[in-house]
mmCIF file of all heavy atoms in Angstrom:
data_model
loop_
_atom_site.group_PDB
_atom_site.id
_atom_site.type_symbol
_atom_site.label_atom_id
_atom_site.label_comp_id
_atom_site.label_asym_id
_atom_site.label_seq_id
_atom_site.Cartn_x
_atom_site.Cartn_y
_atom_site.Cartn_z
ATOM 1 N N VAL A 75 -90.624 24.275 -14.387
ATOM 2 C CA VAL A 75 -89.312 24.822 -14.736
ATOM 3 C C VAL A 75 -88.331 24.567 -13.611
ATOM 4 O O VAL A 75 -88.693 24.660 -12.432
ATOM 5 C CB VAL A 75 -89.402 26.346 -14.992
ATOM 6 C CG1 VAL A 75 -88.029 26.948 -15.286
ATOM 7 C CG2 VAL A 75 -90.381 26.657 -16.117
ATOM 8 N N VAL A 76 -87.082 24.246 -13.970
ATOM 9 C CA VAL A 76 -86.007 24.197 -12.973
ATOM 10 C C VAL A 76 -84.972 25.256 -13.324
ATOM 11 O O VAL A 76 -84.643 25.466 -14.501
ATOM 12 C CB VAL A 76 -85.335 22.809 -12.878
ATOM 13 C CG1 VAL A 76 -86.280 21.805 -12.235
ATOM 14 C CG2 VAL A 76 -84.871 22.308 -14.240
ATOM 15 N N GLY A 77 -84.479 25.937 -12.293
ATOM 16 C CA GLY A 77 -83.401 26.897 -12.451
ATOM 17 C C GLY A 77 -82.136 26.295 -11.883
ATOM 18 O O GLY A 77 -82.086 25.944 -10.703
ATOM 19 N N LEU A 78 -81.110 26.168 -12.705
ATOM 20 C CA LEU A 78 -79.887 25.454 -12.323
ATOM 21 C C LEU A 78 -78.766 26.463 -12.079
ATOM 22 O O LEU A 78 -78.141 26.957 -13.019
ATOM 23 C CB LEU A 78 -79.504 24.458 -13.415
ATOM 24 C CG LEU A 78 -80.626 23.500 -13.851
ATOM 25 C CD1 LEU A 78 -80.143 22.574 -14.953
ATOM 26 C CD2 LEU A 78 -81.169 22.711 -12.665
ATOM 27 N N PHE A 79 -78.524 26.749 -10.795
ATOM 28 C CA PHE A 79 -77.617 27.834 -10.427
ATOM 29 C C PHE A 79 -76.509 27.365 -9.492
ATOM 30 O O PHE A 79 -75.990 28.131 -8.686
ATOM 31 C CB PHE A 79 -78.412 28.977 -9.790
ATOM 32 C CG PHE A 79 -79.668 29.317 -10.555
ATOM 33 C CD1 PHE A 79 -80.892 29.427 -9.915
ATOM 34 C CD2 PHE A 79 -79.620 29.500 -11.932
ATOM 35 C CE1 PHE A 79 -82.049 29.724 -10.617
ATOM 36 C CE2 PHE A 79 -80.775 29.799 -12.660
ATOM 37 C CZ PHE A 79 -81.996 29.913 -11.993
ATOM 38 N N THR A 80 -76.154 26.079 -9.596
ATOM 39 C CA THR A 80 -75.032 25.534 -8.836
ATOM 40 C C THR A 80 -73.761 25.681 -9.680
ATOM 41 O O THR A 80 -73.765 26.357 -10.712
ATOM 42 C CB THR A 80 -75.285 24.062 -8.506
ATOM 43 O OG1 THR A 80 -75.521 23.340 -9.734
ATOM 44 C CG2 THR A 80 -76.513 23.901 -7.617
ATOM 45 N N LEU A 81 -72.680 25.010 -9.272
ATOM 46 C CA LEU A 81 -71.442 25.072 -10.042
ATOM 47 C C LEU A 81 -71.524 24.185 -11.279
ATOM 48 O O LEU A 81 -72.349 23.270 -11.365
ATOM 49 C CB LEU A 81 -70.257 24.657 -9.168
ATOM 50 C CG LEU A 81 -69.922 25.613 -8.014
ATOM 51 C CD1 LEU A 81 -68.785 25.040 -7.179
ATOM 52 C CD2 LEU A 81 -69.559 27.000 -8.529
ATOM 53 N N ALA A 82 -70.653 24.460 -12.229
ATOM 54 C CA ALA A 82 -70.741 23.826 -13.547
ATOM 55 C C ALA A 82 -70.532 22.321 -13.513
ATOM 56 O O ALA A 82 -71.009 21.615 -14.404
ATOM 57 C CB ALA A 82 -69.718 24.465 -14.487
ATOM 58 N N ASP A 83 -69.860 21.793 -12.502
ATOM 59 C CA ASP A 83 -69.582 20.357 -12.492
ATOM 60 C C ASP A 83 -70.838 19.520 -12.274
ATOM 61 O O ASP A 83 -70.865 18.334 -12.598
ATOM 62 C CB ASP A 83 -68.524 20.005 -11.442
ATOM 63 C CG ASP A 83 -68.933 20.412 -10.042
ATOM 64 O OD1 ASP A 83 -69.636 21.423 -9.888
ATOM 65 O OD2 ASP A 83 -68.549 19.705 -9.094
ATOM 66 N N SER A 84 -71.895 20.130 -11.747
ATOM 67 C CA SER A 84 -73.139 19.376 -11.515
ATOM 68 C C SER A 84 -74.187 19.641 -12.592
ATOM 69 O O SER A 84 -75.243 19.019 -12.604
ATOM 70 C CB SER A 84 -73.723 19.755 -10.148
ATOM 71 O OG SER A 84 -74.033 21.136 -10.108
ATOM 72 N N ARG A 85 -73.878 20.541 -13.517
ATOM 73 C CA ARG A 85 -74.915 21.046 -14.421
ATOM 74 C C ARG A 85 -75.385 20.019 -15.443
ATOM 75 O O ARG A 85 -76.586 19.898 -15.709
ATOM 76 C CB ARG A 85 -74.403 22.305 -15.115
ATOM 77 C CG ARG A 85 -75.508 23.294 -15.428
ATOM 78 C CD ARG A 85 -74.962 24.697 -15.523
ATOM 79 N NE ARG A 85 -74.742 25.274 -14.210
ATOM 80 C CZ ARG A 85 -73.844 26.197 -13.934
ATOM 81 N NH1 ARG A 85 -73.050 26.656 -14.878
ATOM 82 N NH2 ARG A 85 -73.712 26.659 -12.716
ATOM 83 N N MET A 86 -74.473 19.260 -16.044
ATOM 84 C CA MET A 86 -74.892 18.318 -17.079
ATOM 85 C C MET A 86 -75.839 17.271 -16.513
ATOM 86 O O MET A 86 -76.864 16.949 -17.135
ATOM 87 C CB MET A 86 -73.693 17.631 -17.735
ATOM 88 C CG MET A 86 -74.115 16.742 -18.906
ATOM 89 S SD MET A 86 -72.749 15.969 -19.787
ATOM 90 C CE MET A 86 -72.366 14.615 -18.657
ATOM 91 N N GLY A 87 -75.516 16.738 -15.338
ATOM 92 C CA GLY A 87 -76.378 15.740 -14.718
ATOM 93 C C GLY A 87 -77.757 16.296 -14.406
ATOM 94 O O GLY A 87 -78.778 15.616 -14.580
ATOM 95 N N GLN A 88 -77.810 17.550 -13.967
ATOM 96 C CA GLN A 88 -79.096 18.162 -13.656
ATOM 97 C C GLN A 88 -79.901 18.445 -14.922
ATOM 98 O O GLN A 88 -81.127 18.282 -14.931
ATOM 99 C CB GLN A 88 -78.866 19.452 -12.857
ATOM 100 C CG GLN A 88 -78.332 19.213 -11.457
ATOM 101 C CD GLN A 88 -77.896 20.491 -10.771
ATOM 102 O OE1 GLN A 88 -77.909 21.572 -11.363
ATOM 103 N NE2 GLN A 88 -77.491 20.383 -9.512
ATOM 104 N N ILE A 89 -79.235 18.847 -15.988
ATOM 105 C CA ILE A 89 -79.937 19.080 -17.259
ATOM 106 C C ILE A 89 -80.477 17.767 -17.817
ATOM 107 O O ILE A 89 -81.615 17.693 -18.293
ATOM 108 C CB ILE A 89 -79.001 19.778 -18.262
ATOM 109 C CG1 ILE A 89 -78.729 21.217 -17.802
ATOM 110 C CG2 ILE A 89 -79.588 19.762 -19.669
ATOM 111 C CD1 ILE A 89 -77.656 21.950 -18.593
ATOM 112 N N GLU A 90 -79.668 16.730 -17.732
ATOM 113 C CA GLU A 90 -80.104 15.406 -18.177
ATOM 114 C C GLU A 90 -81.348 14.963 -17.403
ATOM 115 O O GLU A 90 -82.321 14.457 -17.972
ATOM 116 C CB GLU A 90 -78.955 14.412 -17.981
ATOM 117 C CG GLU A 90 -79.203 13.036 -18.557
ATOM 118 C CD GLU A 90 -77.988 12.137 -18.395
ATOM 119 O OE1 GLU A 90 -77.236 12.306 -17.412
ATOM 120 O OE2 GLU A 90 -77.808 11.262 -19.248
ATOM 121 N N LYS A 91 -81.332 15.191 -16.098
ATOM 122 C CA LYS A 91 -82.461 14.806 -15.249
ATOM 123 C C LYS A 91 -83.695 15.653 -15.570
ATOM 124 O O LYS A 91 -84.825 15.136 -15.606
ATOM 125 C CB LYS A 91 -82.068 14.959 -13.769
ATOM 126 C CG LYS A 91 -83.031 14.283 -12.799
ATOM 127 C CD LYS A 91 -82.610 14.514 -11.358
ATOM 128 C CE LYS A 91 -81.374 13.757 -10.987
ATOM 129 N NZ LYS A 91 -81.126 13.847 -9.503
ATOM 130 N N ALA A 92 -83.485 16.950 -15.812
ATOM 131 C CA ALA A 92 -84.604 17.829 -16.154
ATOM 132 C C ALA A 92 -85.306 17.354 -17.419
ATOM 133 O O ALA A 92 -86.549 17.336 -17.487
ATOM 134 C CB ALA A 92 -84.108 19.261 -16.323
ATOM 135 N N ILE A 93 -84.529 16.964 -18.416
ATOM 136 C CA ILE A 93 -85.120 16.471 -19.660
ATOM 137 C C ILE A 93 -85.876 15.168 -19.412
ATOM 138 O O ILE A 93 -86.996 14.970 -19.914
ATOM 139 C CB ILE A 93 -84.021 16.290 -20.731
ATOM 140 C CG1 ILE A 93 -83.455 17.658 -21.130
ATOM 141 C CG2 ILE A 93 -84.556 15.545 -21.948
ATOM 142 C CD1 ILE A 93 -82.230 17.595 -22.005
ATOM 143 N N ARG A 94 -85.293 14.294 -18.600
ATOM 144 C CA ARG A 94 -85.944 13.012 -18.302
ATOM 145 C C ARG A 94 -87.284 13.209 -17.610
ATOM 146 O O ARG A 94 -88.248 12.499 -17.863
ATOM 147 C CB ARG A 94 -85.013 12.152 -17.437
ATOM 148 C CG ARG A 94 -85.468 10.717 -17.316
ATOM 149 C CD ARG A 94 -84.554 9.872 -16.437
ATOM 150 N NE ARG A 94 -83.223 10.411 -16.254
ATOM 151 C CZ ARG A 94 -82.630 10.512 -15.072
ATOM 152 N NH1 ARG A 94 -83.277 10.150 -13.963
ATOM 153 N NH2 ARG A 94 -81.411 10.984 -14.977
ATOM 154 N N TYR A 95 -87.355 14.231 -16.735
ATOM 155 C CA TYR A 95 -88.584 14.467 -15.982
ATOM 156 C C TYR A 95 -89.483 15.524 -16.627
ATOM 157 O O TYR A 95 -90.500 15.912 -16.058
ATOM 158 C CB TYR A 95 -88.252 14.874 -14.548
ATOM 159 C CG TYR A 95 -87.809 13.722 -13.681
ATOM 160 C CD1 TYR A 95 -86.460 13.419 -13.529
ATOM 161 C CD2 TYR A 95 -88.748 12.926 -13.012
ATOM 162 C CE1 TYR A 95 -86.043 12.365 -12.727
ATOM 163 C CE2 TYR A 95 -88.347 11.872 -12.220
ATOM 164 C CZ TYR A 95 -86.988 11.588 -12.079
ATOM 165 O OH TYR A 95 -86.583 10.539 -11.282
ATOM 166 N N GLY A 96 -89.101 16.022 -17.800
ATOM 167 C CA GLY A 96 -89.964 16.933 -18.542
ATOM 168 C C GLY A 96 -90.042 18.348 -17.997
ATOM 169 O O GLY A 96 -91.105 18.981 -18.039
ATOM 170 N N LYS A 97 -88.909 18.872 -17.515
ATOM 171 C CA LYS A 97 -88.880 20.242 -16.981
ATOM 172 C C LYS A 97 -88.181 21.187 -17.963
ATOM 173 O O LYS A 97 -87.126 20.853 -18.515
ATOM 174 C CB LYS A 97 -88.117 20.297 -15.642
ATOM 175 C CG LYS A 97 -88.468 19.203 -14.634
ATOM 176 C CD LYS A 97 -89.894 19.287 -14.150
ATOM 177 C CE LYS A 97 -90.145 18.249 -13.051
ATOM 178 N NZ LYS A 97 -91.590 18.133 -12.736
ATOM 179 N N HIS A 98 -88.753 22.363 -18.147
ATOM 180 C CA HIS A 98 -88.057 23.407 -18.882
ATOM 181 C C HIS A 98 -86.864 23.892 -18.040
ATOM 182 O O HIS A 98 -86.882 23.775 -16.806
ATOM 183 C CB HIS A 98 -88.998 24.571 -19.183
ATOM 184 C CG HIS A 98 -90.217 24.174 -19.962
ATOM 185 N ND1 HIS A 98 -90.154 23.625 -21.222
ATOM 186 C CD2 HIS A 98 -91.549 24.250 -19.649
ATOM 187 C CE1 HIS A 98 -91.364 23.392 -21.665
ATOM 188 N NE2 HIS A 98 -92.242 23.753 -20.728
ATOM 189 N N ILE A 99 -85.842 24.458 -18.703
ATOM 190 C CA ILE A 99 -84.555 24.694 -18.035
ATOM 191 C C ILE A 99 -84.054 26.115 -18.218
ATOM 192 O O ILE A 99 -83.942 26.617 -19.342
ATOM 193 C CB ILE A 99 -83.477 23.737 -18.598
ATOM 194 C CG1 ILE A 99 -83.904 22.276 -18.448
ATOM 195 C CG2 ILE A 99 -82.132 23.989 -17.933
ATOM 196 C CD1 ILE A 99 -83.131 21.334 -19.360
ATOM 197 N N ILE A 100 -83.741 26.771 -17.096
ATOM 198 C CA ILE A 100 -82.939 27.992 -17.099
ATOM 199 C C ILE A 100 -81.610 27.641 -16.437
ATOM 200 O O ILE A 100 -81.587 27.153 -15.303
ATOM 201 C CB ILE A 100 -83.602 29.135 -16.312
ATOM 202 C CG1 ILE A 100 -84.995 29.452 -16.849
ATOM 203 C CG2 ILE A 100 -82.724 30.385 -16.354
ATOM 204 C CD1 ILE A 100 -85.741 30.495 -16.029
ATOM 205 N N SER A 101 -80.504 27.887 -17.119
ATOM 206 C CA SER A 101 -79.195 27.487 -16.603
ATOM 207 C C SER A 101 -78.237 28.667 -16.564
ATOM 208 O O SER A 101 -78.302 29.569 -17.391
ATOM 209 C CB SER A 101 -78.602 26.382 -17.483
ATOM 210 O OG SER A 101 -77.280 26.066 -17.098
ATOM 211 N N GLU A 102 -77.348 28.634 -15.592
ATOM 212 C CA GLU A 102 -76.198 29.523 -15.625
ATOM 213 C C GLU A 102 -75.161 28.951 -16.588
ATOM 214 O O GLU A 102 -75.253 27.808 -17.033
ATOM 215 C CB GLU A 102 -75.615 29.691 -14.219
ATOM 216 C CG GLU A 102 -76.284 30.769 -13.403
ATOM 217 C CD GLU A 102 -76.123 32.146 -14.016
ATOM 218 O OE1 GLU A 102 -74.969 32.603 -14.187
ATOM 219 O OE2 GLU A 102 -77.130 32.773 -14.347
ATOM 220 N N LYS A 103 -74.166 29.758 -16.901
ATOM 221 C CA LYS A 103 -73.090 29.298 -17.777
ATOM 222 C C LYS A 103 -71.847 29.026 -16.924
ATOM 223 O O LYS A 103 -71.751 29.539 -15.788
ATOM 224 C CB LYS A 103 -72.828 30.330 -18.872
ATOM 225 C CG LYS A 103 -72.391 31.716 -18.339
ATOM 226 C CD LYS A 103 -70.936 31.746 -17.983
ATOM 227 C CE LYS A 103 -70.557 32.869 -17.041
ATOM 228 N NZ LYS A 103 -69.274 32.631 -16.375
ATOM 229 N N PRO A 104 -70.878 28.254 -17.417
ATOM 230 C CA PRO A 104 -70.990 27.402 -18.593
ATOM 231 C C PRO A 104 -71.955 26.250 -18.327
ATOM 232 O O PRO A 104 -72.259 25.957 -17.164
ATOM 233 C CB PRO A 104 -69.558 26.911 -18.803
ATOM 234 C CG PRO A 104 -68.947 26.937 -17.436
ATOM 235 C CD PRO A 104 -69.572 28.113 -16.742
ATOM 236 N N ILE A 105 -72.434 25.605 -19.369
ATOM 237 C CA ILE A 105 -73.496 24.616 -19.201
ATOM 238 C C ILE A 105 -72.974 23.257 -18.747
ATOM 239 O O ILE A 105 -73.775 22.345 -18.500
ATOM 240 C CB ILE A 105 -74.329 24.478 -20.486
ATOM 241 C CG1 ILE A 105 -73.427 24.235 -21.703
ATOM 242 C CG2 ILE A 105 -75.160 25.754 -20.685
ATOM 243 C CD1 ILE A 105 -74.195 23.982 -23.000
ATOM 244 N N ALA A 106 -71.665 23.105 -18.622
ATOM 245 C CA ALA A 106 -71.066 21.880 -18.066
ATOM 246 C C ALA A 106 -69.615 22.188 -17.704
ATOM 247 O O ALA A 106 -69.119 23.293 -17.927
ATOM 248 C CB ALA A 106 -71.159 20.720 -19.048
ATOM 249 N N ASP A 107 -68.938 21.184 -17.155
ATOM 250 C CA ASP A 107 -67.584 21.390 -16.636
ATOM 251 C C ASP A 107 -66.479 21.155 -17.651
ATOM 252 O O ASP A 107 -65.333 21.540 -17.426
ATOM 253 C CB ASP A 107 -67.353 20.501 -15.408
ATOM 254 C CG ASP A 107 -67.610 19.029 -15.702
ATOM 255 O OD1 ASP A 107 -68.263 18.714 -16.733
ATOM 256 O OD2 ASP A 107 -67.182 18.180 -14.902
#
Side-chain angles (χ1 to χ4, degrees):
V75 177
V76 289
L78 308 179
F79 315 130
T80 56
L81 293 177
D83 59 328
S84 61
R85 212 155 281 152
M86 185 177 79
Q88 291 170 355
I89 291 171
E90 187 177 31
K91 194 182 289 189
I93 293 171
R94 192 181 340 132
Y95 284 94
K97 314 295 185 191
H98 302 299
I99 303 161
I100 303 175
S101 174
E102 274 297 300
K103 61 80 200 161
I105 52 176
D107 56 343

